[in-house]
Amino acid sequence: QVQLVESGGGLVQAGGSLRLSCAASGRTFRNYGLGWFRQAPGKEREFVGTIRWSDGNTYYADSVKGRFTISRDNAKNTVYLQMNSLKPEDTAVYYCAAHPPEIRIATLINYWGQGTQVTVSS
């Protein structure tokens, strides 16, 4: 079992930045990718990006490439999502998830954090 707790959401103006944190614990989380997903009202939960914990390799959705960066702090068992140049369309609840690195479909993932709201005003 993997436990995940997100923090860092809030309200920011377009063009601004936020950093989200996901603290992970559990016996096997180091064998997973730690991914970020987001869900806006009335929309599907969509993949944002992921980091493979074992080696730090990252993969991002096209919509956030060049703006968002995922990193990790091994000592704190924490993964971060640095979000720059935020746009109103980035507004969503952001979730972190533990998953086999190649599985990036939300309905196939079992381990989720509680979510944190990100709101970007125009």
Side-chain angles (χ1 to χ4, degrees), residues 13-111:
Q13 291 186 325
S17 299
L18 283 174
R19 189 181 73 164
L20 307 184
S21 300
C22 176
S25 62
R27 293 181 180 180
T28 62
F29 80 92
R30 296 182 187 273
N31 297 323
Y32 286 78
L34 291 179
W36 289 93
F37 294 73
R38 65 188 182 186
Q39 188 166 21
K43 295 186 177 181
E44 299 283 325
R45 188 171 298 187
E46 67 171 341
F47 173 75
V48 174
T50 192
I51 185 167
R52 190 163 61 192
W53 193 261
S54 60
D55 61 10
N57 286 348
T58 55
Y59 180 84
Y60 301 96
D62 289 342
S63 60
V64 305
K65 285 181 179 177
R67 299 190 298 123
F68 291 9
T69 303
I70 298 173
S71 61
R72 60 186 167 97
D73 186 329
N74 290 331
K76 296 182 178 180
N77 294 329
T78 298
V79 63
Y80 303 97
L81 179 65
Q82 178 67 46
M83 304 185 292
N84 298 324
S85 301
L86 283 162
K87 305 173 181 179
E89 50 263 46
D90 295 317
T91 295
V93 177
Y94 283 71
Y95 300 88
C96 65
H99 60 97
E102 299 303 317
I103 303 299
R104 299 165 191 155
I105 300 173
T107 56
L108 300 180
I109 296 171
N110 297 123
Y111 300 109

Side-chain angles (χ1 to χ4, degrees), residues 107-119:
T107 56
L108 300 180
I109 296 171
N110 297 123
Y111 300 109
W112 297 95
Q114 82 286 355
T116 186
Q117 177 71 47
V118 172
T119 302

